Amino acid sequence: MATDHYHREYELYYLFNGQRNYFIKDDVYQVQSGDLVLIESNAVHKTSDSGTPNHERIVLYFAPSYFDVLPAAERDLLLSPFLQEFPLLRLNLQEQLQVEALFHTLLTELNEQHPGYRLRISQIADELLLYTARSLLKRESLPKQESSSVQRKISDIVRYINLHFGEPLKLEELSRRFFISKSYLSRMFKQVTGFGFAEYVNLTRIKEAERLLRDTDHSITHVSELAGFDNFSHFGKMFKRLTGLTPRAYRESHHPFFR
């Protein structure tokens, strides 16, 4: 589902144990136990196996409205971890123990649901964000991880798709443009990003269609064309499959006056 791979909420992901590859926007990161991953609103992302089959993680989602009630300085501070160029914070052992204690308290509150548990969960969420923001202020971010030649090639192809989603995008054409065989491109694209090629193209186009339906008054037919779909019926089916709503229902949910 599209909401698994991009959403308006800010995402905080913590890996308790194991290893994962994490594709975010147009790059892939190797995540290990004790890492915090911080994902900006509407960034396309997906985790995949890195060779270690078992892992344990926790994910928190923060709606944009969560920050709106805060004074500007505090809002900017708590949002700052999600706006870093490098989305990964590697914690030392002491920091891991502190963060994991907060997560375990949060899970206990959620499971036991004693009176006031929602208030306590909100307090812990604030503590986690504040701890993360302060940790980033005290240190320089990790140096950018060295990517393999294949990962760099796939990142270039992802960036091309992100810029040219409104144009016809065929696997054959991109294999020629980037000097890589069609079968190898298909296989490596899935391995590096976690998405199939067509899946990622459709996801990128539907994400743009959502934006156009929210932010413009273009007709739904024109929205489908601007997003890169050459078949309106296919657009409608793909939009419903990925979002759970028809394009019209999606627009009406954001703009009731369009009914």
Side-chain angles (χ1 to χ4, degrees), residues 12-235:
L12 187 153
Y13 173 107
Y14 181 75
L15 191 63
F16 283 102
N17 56 64
Q19 294 181 339
R20 300 290 287 172
N21 288 331
Y22 215 136
F23 173 78
I24 304 171
K25 291 184 179 178
D26 56 16
D27 215 339
V28 63
Y29 304 88
Q30 286 74 51
V31 182
Q32 64 187 41
S33 59
D35 285 352
L36 274 171
V37 184
L38 300 132
I39 301 169
E40 188 178 358
S41 172
N42 277 324
V44 174
H45 57 282
K46 188 173 186 180
T47 61
S48 58
D49 289 338
S50 65
T52 304
N54 298 317
H55 69 285
E56 184 180 6
R57 53 74 175 131
I58 187 169
V59 183
L60 300 184
Y61 299 98
F62 295 86
S65 59
Y66 186 89
F67 304 93
D68 291 343
V69 298
L70 299 172
E74 294 177 6
R75 180 182 67 244
D76 292 345
L77 176 63
L78 295 188
L79 276 173
S80 63
F82 301 101
L83 306 179
Q84 304 291 316
E85 182 178 358
F86 191 73
L88 192 152
L89 178 62
R90 184 151 292 159
L91 304 179
N92 62 37
L93 182 57
Q94 182 181 16
E95 291 169 331
Q96 290 176 41
L97 293 174
Q98 291 177 276
V99 165
E100 290 182 12
L102 289 171
F103 279 126
H104 285 304
T105 302
L106 185 151
L107 291 171
T108 299
E109 291 287 340
L110 188 61
N111 289 328
E112 297 182 356
Q113 298 191 7
H114 294 306
Y117 78 97
R118 292 182 183 276
L119 177 60
R120 182 64 180 127
I121 287 173
S122 181
Q123 290 172 338
I124 295 169
D126 284 342
E127 287 185 58
L128 284 164
L129 288 178
L130 182 57
Y131 185 87
T132 303
R134 286 178 170 176
S135 296
L136 285 167
L137 287 174
K138 291 189 296 185
R139 72 176 77 180
E140 295 184 4
S141 62
L142 288 174
K144 184 171 174 59
Q145 299 171 349
E146 188 64 29
S147 300
S148 68
S149 59
V150 171
Q151 289 173 337
R152 290 194 295 272
K153 177 78 75 173
I154 297 301
S155 289
D156 289 342
I157 293 170
V158 169
R159 294 185 189 105
Y160 183 87
I161 294 171
N162 292 344
L163 289 172
H164 299 275
F165 57 80
E167 305 168 14
L169 290 171
K170 302 295 183 183
L171 198 61
E172 296 87 347
E173 177 199 340
L174 266 67
S175 69
R176 289 192 298 269
R177 178 179 291 274
F178 288 93
F179 306 102
I180 182 173
S181 76
K182 176 183 172 182
S183 60
Y184 189 68
L185 169 55
S186 178
R187 187 167 67 255
M188 288 300 101
F189 195 96
K190 176 70 172 180
Q191 181 175 310
V192 171
T193 68
F195 295 100
F197 174 79
E199 179 188 12
Y200 184 78
V201 171
N202 283 324
L203 192 68
T204 303
R205 287 172 170 167
I206 294 301
K207 180 183 174 185
E208 174 64 8
E210 286 182 323
R211 185 192 69 81
L212 292 169
L213 290 169
R214 287 194 312 267
D215 299 343
T216 76
D217 59 359
H218 295 316
S219 71
I220 294 176
T221 300
H222 192 37
V223 165
S224 73
E225 294 169 351
L226 292 173
F229 289 92
D230 57 7
N231 183 295
F232 184 73
S233 176
H234 175 63
F235 164 68

